[in-house]
Amino acid sequence: MVTYLDNNATTRTDPEVLAAMLPYLSELYGNPSSMHSFGGQVGAVIETAREQVATLLGAEPTEIIFNSCGSEGNNTAIHAALAAQPEKRHIVTTAVEHPAILAVCKHLEKRGYTVTYLSVDRRGELDLIELEAAMTGGTALVTTMYANNETGVIFPVERIGEIAKAYGATFHVDAVQAVGKVPIDLATSTIDLLTLSGHKLHAPKGIGVLYVRKSFRFRPFLLGGHQERSRRAGTHNVPAIVALGKAAELAQLNLAHTQREAELRDLLEYGLLATIPDTVVNGGGAPRLPNTTNIGFKYIEGEAILFMLNREGICASSGSACTSGSLDPSHVLTAMGLPYTILHGSIRFSLSRYTTEAEIRQVLTVMPEIVERLRAMSPFKDDQAGWLQERDLAVAT
């Protein structure tokens, strides 16, 4: 059996979600854009799914645009915001965003845009004074995540939105990690555009949503057919849309039970800190998602920890799944100013509503021995990480 604690990378598709989508992979396979009734009947279930997602977000169904994933939603939101105010050439974001934001901003800098990357402190929190100082009349967009995918730290999105609005900027939020884990009410929010991804809340991969406030002057990113009221071209992925609708309905029901995930996360944190010396919680003390913990084990490499956990049937990660394979330390933990001895030995454990206490206790049983064995082989101790700095500099150059 696998102990799966990597739910910020992706989640198990809920059995009820799978059951809801299966008919649209077999007997109800028509194209909802077709003129005949066999295809047309499928259109109604898309609108039902739209209502289910809107309910979860506190939005109106007409504000929901189905797409393929969070990366598409983020790209679309950024380009839509810039198209809405083409005379403005300044973007404000943060240094700890997902690559789906940072890569777009880096690309836009090459096209003449100015981008301000806000810093975070040792707890992973933003300084809103720095944000206020960065804003100008030429700021077209403020784009931040709702909660960090690596540490779970939650940003004060409403206060950020108030500052953005004071300068006439569009406010986009990447809420991929937050939707279904914390309550969201867009009807009373300052958010103009919001991104979510189905596979983070127990729907399948390949389906997402971009929320667009009805007053926002939206221009589509993908051009072609008339789907999604001509706001996103492409044949509807009906099975996945139905699945996301059901997942949103279940997420709404389960919001009242996220305290259980927080209790299991705390059990994991307290147990590891109590049994393994020189261990810290990255982002501890800041408001965090109930399911996420990022723990730094000093003097050892995270990749080695993951390898040994994998041998025990335990799945975790050392950061974003979208940057796996890189030898560079986490850009999120680097931006937090953590020492190299913590940067390289940090592991993210992310829980779900399926996580059990027995699974948490399995981790607590095996981790002390894993860390002890790796530290016995470690080439450095007492915060002397010069060789790691030299390696990282070599990789960077």
Side-chain angles (χ1 to χ4, degrees):
M1 291 290 292
V2 170
T3 294
Y4 188 76
L5 298 176
D6 197 16
N7 287 278
N8 283 10
T10 197
T11 59
R12 168 190 176 187
T13 300
D14 187 288
E16 291 187 54
V17 170
L18 179 61
M21 71 183 291
L22 281 177
Y24 301 94
L25 288 167
S26 52
E27 62 266 25
L28 298 174
Y29 53 84
N31 188 326
S33 297
S34 299
M35 295 297 293
H36 48 71
S37 58
F38 180 71
Q41 66 180 328
V42 179
V45 300
I46 293 177
E47 297 314 309
T48 297
R50 201 183 308 279
E51 292 171 1
Q52 291 167 316
V53 173
T55 299
L56 176 62
L57 298 179
E60 297 183 14
T62 55
E63 297 175 313
I64 302 302
I65 300 176
F66 290 114
N67 56 28
S68 66
C69 62
S71 293
E72 181 190 334
N74 286 339
N75 275 262
T76 301
I78 291 172
H79 285 90
L82 299 181
Q85 300 187 82
E87 73 283 1
K88 296 185 176 183
R89 307 284 290 181
H90 180 227
I91 301 166
V92 176
T93 188
T94 82
V96 296
E97 296 300 308
H98 188 275
I101 295 293
L102 294 177
V104 180
C105 289
K106 294 295 184 184
H107 173 71
L108 289 168
E109 284 183 293
K110 296 176 182 178
R111 294 177 51 193
Y113 285 86
T114 301
V115 181
T116 299
Y117 299 92
L118 302 175
S119 63
V120 294
D121 62 18
R122 289 289 288 264
R123 300 200 308 180
E125 295 186 285
L126 293 173
D127 180 355
L128 296 184
I129 296 176
E130 182 185 359
L131 168 61
E132 183 92 49
M135 299 296 295
T136 74
T139 303
L141 170 68
V142 176
T143 174
T144 72
M145 49 181 38
Y146 199 115
N148 189 264
N149 51 304
E150 294 190 28
T151 64
V153 172
I154 297 173
F155 285 169
V157 291
E158 292 307 325
R159 293 173 64 193
I160 295 170
E162 290 169 2
I163 294 172
K165 293 301 161 195
Y167 287 85
T170 298
F171 183 35
H172 165 247
V173 171
D174 177 352
V176 164
Q177 292 295 345
V179 173
K181 299 172 187 173
V182 294
I184 295 175
D185 184 10
L186 293 174
T188 60
S189 174
T190 57
I191 297 170
D192 297 304
L193 303 163
L194 180 140
T195 304
L196 71 85
S197 182
H199 76 104
K200 307 295 189 181
L201 63 149
H202 302 287
K205 301 166 188 66
I207 185 65
V209 156
L210 177 63
Y211 158 84
V212 179
R213 183 172 295 282
K214 60 184 178 182
S215 60
F216 180 76
R217 293 178 297 164
F218 180 79
R219 296 185 184 181
F221 185 55
L222 287 182
L223 304 176
H226 64 276
Q227 295 88 355
E228 295 301 281
R229 298 172 65 198
S230 298
R231 296 177 297 178
R232 195 272 186 181
T235 302
H236 285 105
N237 184 354
V238 178
I241 290 173
V242 171
L244 178 53
K246 185 63 177 181
E249 178 184 274
L250 295 174
Q252 181 73 24
L253 295 173
N254 280 282
L255 274 174
H257 307 294
T258 56
Q259 180 60 30
R260 175 184 168 277
E261 292 174 37
E263 291 170 355
L264 290 176
R265 178 203 63 189
D266 293 346
L267 174 65
L268 178 62
E269 288 182 352
Y270 297 152
L272 292 175
L273 293 177
T275 57
I276 304 174
D278 293 317
T279 299
V280 298
V281 176
N282 301 321
R288 289 181 296 154
L289 294 173
N291 80 313
T292 305
T293 183
N294 190 301
I295 301 181
F297 303 92
K298 286 187 176 182
Y299 317 129
I300 52 180
E301 290 264 23
E303 289 79 4
I305 299 173
L306 293 176
F307 175 78
M308 298 184 78
L309 284 173
N310 186 61
R311 292 175 63 177
E312 299 288 343
I314 299 169
C315 303
S317 69
S318 57
S320 170
C322 295
T323 57
S324 64
S326 171
L327 289 176
D328 295 335
S330 158
H331 75 282
V332 173
L333 303 185
T334 299
M336 291 167 64
L338 301 183
Y340 278 74
T341 45
I342 295 175
L343 279 179
H344 284 268
S346 291
I347 301 298
R348 179 187 70 185
F349 298 97
S350 46
L351 289 60
S352 79
R353 60 177 179 259
Y354 294 111
T355 302
T356 66
E357 183 176 336
E359 291 174 324
I360 297 302
R361 295 201 178 277
Q362 180 193 5
V363 177
L364 293 176
T365 298
V366 303
M367 276 300 295
E369 181 182 354
I370 288 174
V371 174
E372 183 179 6
R373 289 176 59 190
L374 292 175
R375 282 180 177 165
M377 298 183 287
S378 175
F380 67 99
K381 301 274 174 53
D382 302 324
D383 295 311
Q384 299 301 312
W387 73 276
L388 275 174
Q389 281 184 289
E390 293 174 3
R391 189 194 73 175
D392 290 336
L393 288 172
V395 170
T397 56

